[in-house]
Amino acid sequence: MGTRPHPMTDAPAALLPVALKAAEIASDLVRTRVPGLLTAKGDRDMASEVDYAVERAVRDSLKERTPDIAILGEEEGITGDTTGELLWAIDPVDGTANFIRNIPLCGFSIGLIQRGRPVVGVIDLPFLGTRYHAAQHIGAYLGDRRIQASMTTNLRDAIVAIGDYAVGEGAEAKNRQRFALTERLAANVQRIRMLGSAAIDLAWVAEGKLDASITLSNKPWDMAAGVIIAREAGAVVTDQDGTDHAYDSAATIGAAPTVSPAISALLSDATRRGSNN
């Protein structure tokens, strides 16, 4: 007998168990399969056989348990009824370049988006043995332990993660801003990290391992889970212009509230410098 479809609800947090089940499925596949053949998706961008296997398995689970909710996946696009107010966004392997090199900084990310804002999120890091989850108004957790963003107050004490540099068409222009940002961070923060996974960046901001993460792009499958987890842990998550981060934001900046204003000011300065070069 198949699993009974989960009833629709006005409280999206009730769908957290569905996301946690999806993470279990994904974690088992990522831990037990080798990457296999690689598929080129663009300039220095690729997907492994595991990316596709995880996405298909998770899609099947979501369709069975929440058949009325559309699904957006990194590898296979959007399916289902897109007129509803809820949308699952899944990244089967966030950090594929790390995964195929046996670097353990990679994982599965699933977020539930309601009217453009994430309300449920799960990030599973199978090679680190950690699973983060959050839902709107219930807090953020690492396993059973509630987590909180850092209380660092001085930017010079902050450890800040940045997203990968741009590749493909228009990369040279995009990277001028990224290089300017790296330069400004190097002069003002304790350390810079480039981990290669937006999900890890935001989860570690939520846990307080990082004081901020700056990614000058926004893809819902990368960001949805991490945004709600960081927010529920007390972090501030904005677009590049300082407005609240949303589905259609241009960038994703997550920071502890105590350093968020300084990060915003530094980013504005880097943007000016990058545009003048």
Side-chain angles (χ1 to χ4, degrees):
M1 182 181 294
T3 303
R4 188 176 177 183
H6 199 291
M8 294 301 96
T9 174
D10 291 332
L15 295 177
L16 177 58
V18 177
L20 288 168
K21 179 62 179 177
E24 289 180 14
I25 294 168
S27 182
D28 287 344
L29 287 170
V30 172
R31 282 187 292 102
T32 58
R33 294 196 182 186
V34 297
L37 294 175
L38 303 180
T39 301
K41 300 195 296 181
D43 179 25
R44 288 167 283 173
D45 189 13
M46 68 208 78
S48 72
E49 289 182 7
V50 173
D51 288 79
Y52 290 104
V54 170
E55 184 162 324
R56 284 192 294 268
V58 169
R59 281 179 180 272
D60 288 345
S61 176
L62 295 177
K63 285 179 200 173
E64 183 177 16
R65 303 188 73 184
T66 57
D68 296 331
I69 301 179
I71 303 168
L72 172 65
E74 179 176 11
E75 310 307 341
E76 298 183 2
I78 193 165
T79 58
D81 180 7
T82 59
T83 63
E85 67 173 32
L86 294 173
L87 172 70
W88 291 112
I90 56 177
D91 191 339
V93 182
D94 186 53
T96 297
N98 288 345
F99 174 59
I100 64 177
R101 295 296 186 100
N102 291 318
I103 298 171
L105 300 180
C106 56
F108 170 73
S109 176
I110 179 169
L112 181 66
I113 299 170
Q114 183 178 41
R115 295 190 293 272
R117 289 176 64 88
V119 292
V120 171
V122 177
I123 292 171
D124 187 276
L125 309 179
F127 301 118
L128 300 182
T130 53
R131 182 175 297 160
Y132 301 83
H133 72 268
Q136 196 168 43
H137 307 312
I138 72 164
Y141 295 82
L142 169 55
D144 296 328
R145 175 173 64 87
R146 190 159 185 172
I147 55 175
Q148 183 177 343
S150 86
M151 300 301 290
T152 299
T153 56
N154 191 328
L155 199 59
R156 289 198 170 273
D157 296 326
I159 297 181
V160 179
I162 57 175
D164 288 335
Y165 294 120
V167 297
E169 186 175 352
E172 183 176 353
K174 292 176 183 177
N175 281 332
R176 280 196 288 271
Q177 182 186 11
R178 287 160 170 79
F179 296 150
L181 171 63
T182 303
E183 182 179 10
R184 297 304 297 143
L185 286 169
N188 288 280
V189 306
Q190 186 183 110
R191 291 290 187 273
I192 302 169
R193 297 289 180 257
M194 184 181 282
L195 304 174
S197 164
I200 292 178
D201 289 349
L202 288 166
W204 284 4
V205 167
E207 192 183 354
K209 285 184 178 349
L210 299 171
D211 301 294
S213 70
I214 303 173
T215 305
L216 298 180
S217 64
N218 175 40
K219 296 175 180 175
W221 51 83
D222 284 333
M223 304 300 180
V227 168
I228 183 63
I229 292 170
R231 279 181 172 154
E232 286 294 313
V236 177
V237 190
T238 67
D239 197 350
Q240 186 171 330
D241 61 2
T243 59
D244 279 351
H245 184 276
Y247 183 90
D248 56 356
S249 291
T252 310
I253 294 88
T258 45
V259 297
S260 181
I263 290 290
S264 294
L266 188 147
L267 181 56
S268 295
D269 184 37
T271 300
R272 286 194 299 271
R273 289 169 181 258
S275 62
N276 291 334
N277 289 340

